[in-house]
Amino acid sequence: MTDSKKAPARPALKAVRGTRDLLPDQTPLWNHVETTARNLFARYGFGEIRTPVFEATELFARGVGEETDIVSKEMFTWEDRARAASEKPQTLTLRPENTAGVVRAYIEHQFANSGALQKLYYIGPQFRRERPQRGRYRQFWQIGAEVIGPPSSGSESPLRDAEILEMLATLLDELGIRGWQLELNSVGSAQDRVHYNETLRAALQPIRSQLCADCQRRADTNPLRVLDCKVPEDQPLIDTLPRIADHISADSRAHFDAVRAALDACKVPYHLNPRLVRGLDYYTRTTFEFTVTTGLGTQNALLGGGRYDGLSEMLGGPRAPGIGFAIGEDRLILTLQAQQQEDARTSGAASANLLDAYIAPLTPAQNPAALALARELRAANLKIEVGDGSFKLRKSFETANSLARHIILLGEDEAGSELYTVKTFASGEQVKVPRANLPELLAGV
Ligand code: HAM
């Protein structure tokens, strides 16, 4: 076939908008974050739970709330085919968050029967159809945890709230996240919310027509959600609305004060934010977010969480108060990467991801010896890449410089004498070393 008769080339396929591949130069940091989190959770008595990535749509409608942005606009939902003609087709949804799924599992597996407090953590992908931007994806990862149990297990205690917040502060410190800020609020009990909603509804009436279309609807259906509004023009008006903190009961106030006292005792700093009602309907009493200043731009909420004392009943389960959080792992990684770049700029330090050495055979005849040397050095726990004897020396040096801290030249002389020529890129130093001394030299900086 001549060129002109060839079928047109097919366009290359790409990852779907809002999803991305995590490549080998990124995954070590992801694994480090996940291992650090798993180790820390174990120290606080948490066990791992893995729930399905899709659930019945009704779980999120009932748990997260019909009027929330997540449920009303952002879910990936489809109708599953009915298995039999007599069955109604089921509507399914890719999980947009995992608290509802964990509480569903808590009910389904009758955890309440043991009477014990359950401490559960999860790491996994979540899905929301949001407008993608830096730090906001349609498939994103969360590292989350939930503490839930019957009231007799102490699940309502302010100690549990403070322990979660103290654990998060410890995790961020262990990971080296700098400059985090804990924003804290109480949205009161479900009963307090009924009263506050009425107060808010009344206060919204005179300014309703000046708000965005979404807020005009929320003013009727779910006034609390007006406080989540991000439209800049609405903000000055929303700031004039009554504050939830001034409308919570004495019990809720005492609970919040106890959370704050325990945080003070642990020396965990926080900032009171009376507008922090969070975008999900299940929250009661304590709500919180951790924000950072580096790397995230406008999506500066690294993680969020709070108490959900009525969620189990909303999902048809027994009374089981709980509290939990979810960290946006993508955002955590972006923050760490931005910090690493900042550090490299200030100290001139090289990237931590470099291999220990690149072995450059000088002719194809040295390829087998190069591979044998790589096998030996890798067994000594060194990170090694092997070039090819057909490469020009200049190309070997360029590749080595971009990948590794050292280059080992392997010519006929070296293979015969067991003395290797090694160049260290950072210092520019070149030395000849016996094979036995290679691991020590390469492990050094
Ligand atoms: P959330 O605030 O909706 O809470 O999400 C928690 C975190 O997930 C956010 O702070 C953010 O870091 C990250 N996140 C959310 N959406 C995206 C996105 N589109 N792209 C990247 N990251 C995102 C919850 O999900 C609750 N289930 C937390 C919780 C657990 N409350 C109690 N227990």
Side-chain angles (χ1 to χ4, degrees):
M1 211 193 314
T2 61
D3 272 1
S4 59
K5 288 195 182 142
K6 268 191 190 157
R10 293 182 176 197
L13 297 175
K14 292 200 168 152
V16 174
R17 186 170 137 83
T19 72
R20 61 205 181 117
D21 302 308
L22 300 175
L23 302 178
D25 63 339
Q26 297 164 299
T27 44
L29 188 55
W30 285 73
N31 286 325
H32 165 69
V33 163
E34 290 169 17
T35 305
T36 308
R38 285 179 196 279
N39 290 340
L40 180 105
F41 293 154
R43 278 170 17 224
Y44 285 76
F46 283 79
E48 184 177 3
I49 182 164
R50 301 188 189 195
T51 59
V53 292
F54 62 88
E55 300 263 6
T57 307
E58 192 187 349
L59 174 69
F60 306 111
R62 272 211 252 165
V64 177
E66 300 267 16
E67 261 306 313
T68 59
D69 278 356
I70 295 178
V71 174
S72 66
K73 301 182 192 164
E74 295 169 0
M75 296 205 305
F76 289 95
T77 294
W78 70 98
E79 199 157 275
D80 201 31
R81 252 177 292 146
R83 275 171 301 161
S86 55
E87 265 185 9
K88 276 214 316 214
Q90 203 183 2
T91 306
L92 303 175
T93 292
L94 284 179
R95 63 181 183 196
E97 63 98 55
N98 211 21
T99 308
V102 169
V103 176
R104 186 223 13 91
Y106 173 90
I107 300 166
E108 188 166 336
H109 301 287
Q110 298 174 358
F111 278 8
N113 289 352
S114 77
L117 191 69
Q118 301 295 325
K119 291 177 130 181
L120 306 164
Y121 82 86
Y122 52 86
I123 300 178
Q126 318 292 330
F127 307 85
R128 295 183 193 174
R129 191 187 273 108
E130 293 195 79
R131 199 164 47 78
Q133 64 180 78
R134 185 178 171 79
R136 199 207 275 153
Y137 309 98
R138 291 184 168 184
Q139 173 173 330
F140 60 99
W141 287 71
Q142 283 187 340
I143 301 178
E146 315 293 346
V147 179
I148 177 168
S152 59
S153 68
S155 56
E156 273 183 291
S157 167
L159 176 84
R160 303 273 70 111
D161 308 42
E163 184 185 42
I164 283 277
L165 293 165
E166 182 277 319
M167 178 171 85
L168 282 166
T170 305
L171 178 60
L172 297 187
D173 287 345
E174 277 187 16
L175 288 170
I177 297 280
R178 298 190 292 257
W180 53 259
Q181 176 156 296
L182 162 56
E183 308 267 331
L184 192 63
N185 193 22
S186 173
V187 293
S189 66
Q191 196 53 40
D192 299 343
R193 293 259 293 273
V194 173
H195 294 140
Y196 177 65
N197 264 331
E198 287 320 307
T199 311
L200 207 52
R201 210 185 293 272
L204 279 165
Q205 280 320 310
I207 57 168
R208 197 173 177 279
S209 60
Q210 299 165 59
L211 296 170
C212 70
D214 275 346
C215 282
Q216 295 194 18
R217 196 191 67 244
R218 292 169 183 146
D220 294 328
T221 54
N222 191 346
L224 198 66
R225 296 276 72 90
V226 171
L227 304 186
D228 297 331
C229 173
K230 301 277 182 311
V231 175
E233 295 76 31
D234 286 8
Q235 301 310 309
L237 283 169
I238 294 174
D239 281 337
T240 65
L241 292 169
R243 295 180 160 198
I244 198 159
D246 301 327
H247 291 80
I248 64 176
S249 63
D251 274 359
S252 299
R253 162 81 38 219
H255 191 276
F256 192 47
D257 288 346
V259 175
R260 293 176 57 187
L263 287 178
D264 293 341
C266 296
K267 300 198 167 47
V268 175
Y270 55 84
H271 172 249
L272 293 178
N273 177 352
R275 261 188 69 177
L276 189 73
V277 292
R278 313 254 310 123
L280 301 91
D281 276 354
Y282 51 61
Y283 288 115
T284 53
R285 302 203 264 200
T286 312
T287 53
F288 58 86
E289 278 181 7
F290 280 70
T291 57
V292 284
T293 44
T294 313
L296 292 182
T298 51
Q299 303 302 312
N300 69 346
L302 198 58
L303 68 94
R307 204 164 247 296
Y308 43 84
D309 293 341
L311 180 57
S312 173
E313 290 106 307
M314 275 151 73
L315 300 179
R319 178 150 163 66
I323 178 159
F325 65 85
I327 303 172
E329 192 177 357
D330 306 73
R331 295 187 188 177
L332 186 67
I333 300 283
L334 279 174
T335 309
L336 286 172
Q337 285 168 339
Q339 283 187 192
Q340 279 174 1
Q341 279 168 9
E342 213 173 70
D343 291 347
R345 266 199 307 276
T346 47
S347 70
S351 155
N353 285 336
L354 289 179
L355 300 173
D356 293 308
Y358 180 92
I359 304 175
L362 299 186
T363 74
Q366 276 83 50
N367 278 353
L371 202 58
L373 178 63
R375 176 173 159 88
E376 198 179 302
L377 295 173
R378 285 168 177 156
N381 222 8
L382 292 161
K383 290 188 241 159
I384 305 293
E385 184 55 283
V386 196
D388 190 296
S390 64
F391 294 166
K392 294 225 163 56
L393 193 57
R394 195 166 138 208
K395 172 172 170 178
S396 291
F397 264 93
E398 278 171 10
T399 312
N401 200 3
S402 67
L403 289 180
R405 294 182 297 116
H406 304 93
I407 183 168
I408 305 174
L409 301 175
L410 193 65
E412 218 170 312
D413 292 353
E414 282 83 1
S417 73
E418 296 282 301
L419 262 188
Y420 293 88
T421 306
V422 180
K423 180 169 175 170
T424 306
F425 289 114
S427 61
E429 212 179 334
Q430 189 160 311
V431 288
K432 275 192 183 295
V433 285
R435 190 171 183 128
N437 294 357
L438 272 176
E440 195 189 338
L441 174 80
L442 300 179
V445 181

